């Protein structure tokens, strides 16, 4: 795998989820720049569709 050498060359996306003691679930979309390791976005919600997170990046 080629290591990115400039910022914004490659980004990683990941979803994490959790469930507090009240039983409600939530998800967080995490976007990280692989060169700088900077977290570009954290988007949290109880429900998140593909079109919703895509809307966060396309304006």
């Amino acid at each position: 795998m080629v290591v990115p050498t400039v910022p914004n060359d490659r980004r990683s996306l990941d979803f994490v989820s959790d469930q507090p003691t009240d039983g409600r679930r939530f998800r967080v979309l995490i976007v990280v720049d692989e060169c700088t390791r900077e977290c570009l976005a954290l988007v949290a919600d109880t429900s998140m569709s593909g079109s919703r997170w895509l809307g966060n990046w396309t304006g």
Side-chain angles (χ1 to χ4, degrees):
M1 181 184 304
V2 178
V3 177
T5 57
V6 295
N8 293 319
D9 191 28
R10 186 169 53 211
R11 296 177 178 167
S12 293
L13 304 174
D14 195 10
F15 281 101
V16 296
S17 62
D18 200 359
Q19 182 176 0
T21 57
D22 65 5
R24 295 182 298 163
R25 292 178 177 256
F26 68 93
R27 298 180 83 187
V28 179
L29 169 67
I30 304 167
V31 183
V32 175
D33 183 312
E34 288 196 20
C35 178
T36 63
R37 296 292 191 210
E38 176 184 7
C39 179
L40 302 174
L42 291 172
V43 182
D45 204 340
T46 55
S47 175
M48 193 175 310
S49 66
S51 60
R52 161 96 192 280
W53 72 261
L54 183 60
N56 285 322
W57 293 102
T58 59

